[in-house]
Amino acid sequence: MGKLIYAANTSLDGYLEDADGSFDWSVPDEEVHAFWNEHERGIGTSLYGRRMYETMRVWETDDWLATEPAVVREYAGIWRDADKVVYSTTLDAVSTARTRIERTFDPEAVRRLKEESGSDLSVGGATLGAEAFRHGLVDECVLLLCPVTVGGGKPALPLGIRLDLELLDSRQFGNGVLYVRHAVRGAG
C-alpha cells in the first residue's frame, strides 16, 4: 500500500504563490533540487489539478534542458517515469506520456489507488491538496519552507481545516530552506 504525500515549496508565512501568482522565490538551488529528486524517486503516481499539471508538463521535453545542471536534467527523467492523474473538467487532452485525465476527484478511487499501489503517491497543487486533506487521504506532508515571507497569496495548506501532525523528519539546507516532514494523524 502506498502513502499519499502532499509536498510543496512554501514561503515561511505559508504560501505556495504570492498575491501575483509568482513562485520565483521558491526556485531550488542544486542542493534542494537534489533533495526533490530523491523524494520524487519514491513516487509512482502523481495526482495533479489542471494548473499544477500545466506547470509541471515542461519536464516532458528536453529542448530547454540541454544547458541546465545535471540535477535538473535528472529530475526530468524521474518525472517522466511516474504515472500522472490530472483532475480537470476543462482540459480536453494531455500532452505527456503516462498521464490520464479524471473529470472528478473521487476519494474512494484515490483510496483504492493507494491500496493497490506498490509505491507512494503524491498530490500536487493547493486546491487538489485541500480536497485530499478534507477527505482524510493525505498520510504525510512534506514542506520546504523558503526563507521569505510574501504577505499573501495561495495558501499551501487548506484553510478551515485542522490537521493534527507528528514531526517525522527535518533538515536545514545551506541556502536557509527548512525541510519538514509530518505524518498526518487526523483532520477535522
Side-chain angles (χ1 to χ4, degrees):
M1 180 171 170
K3 294 178 292 195
L4 182 60
I5 302 170
Y6 175 77
N9 292 315
T10 180
S11 64
L12 194 55
D13 54 349
Y15 295 97
L16 297 174
E17 300 173 358
D18 65 22
D20 296 323
S22 177
F23 51 88
D24 59 349
W25 44 267
S26 69
V27 173
D29 65 9
E30 284 196 33
E31 181 187 22
V32 172
H33 218 300
F35 167 84
W36 278 128
N37 289 4
E38 285 308 308
H39 171 79
E40 290 294 317
R41 265 186 237 293
I43 302 298
T45 304
S46 296
L47 311 180
Y48 294 123
R50 180 192 52 83
R51 284 191 62 212
M52 181 58 77
Y53 170 70
E54 288 176 342
T55 299
M56 296 300 290
R57 69 182 177 191
V58 67
W59 297 105
E60 186 74 9
T61 62
D62 286 328
D63 302 349
W64 66 279
L65 290 170
T67 60
E68 295 295 321
V71 70
V72 175
R73 293 190 310 271
E74 179 184 29
Y75 182 82
I78 296 166
W79 188 84
R80 289 179 200 146
D81 286 345
D83 294 325
K84 292 158 265 308
V85 180
V86 181
Y87 296 89
S88 174
T89 58
T90 59
L91 197 61
D92 292 327
V94 293
S95 60
T96 57
R98 302 182 68 151
T99 306
R100 64 184 166 92
I101 297 175
E102 292 289 338
R103 295 297 173 202
T104 59
F105 182 78
D106 178 357
E108 290 309 313
V110 174
R111 279 189 184 85
R112 283 191 303 277
L113 190 59
K114 285 173 55 175
E115 289 170 5
E116 296 167 1
S117 181
S119 57
D120 290 336
L121 300 88
S122 70
V123 59
T127 303
L128 189 63
E131 281 301 303
F133 277 115
R134 281 189 187 91
H135 289 285
L137 296 168
V138 178
D139 301 295
E140 290 186 7
C141 183
V142 172
L143 298 176
L144 265 60
L145 307 174
C146 300
V148 60
T149 61
V150 297
K154 184 179 285 186
L157 294 169
L159 300 175
I161 184 170
R162 177 187 167 137
L163 298 172
D164 293 323
L165 307 171
E166 176 187 341
L167 182 64
L168 300 175
D169 196 12
S170 64
R171 171 181 170 194
Q172 181 176 345
F173 294 96
N175 65 359
V177 169
L178 297 174
Y179 150 72
V180 292
R181 181 171 66 103
H182 289 88
V184 179
R185 295 292 174 220

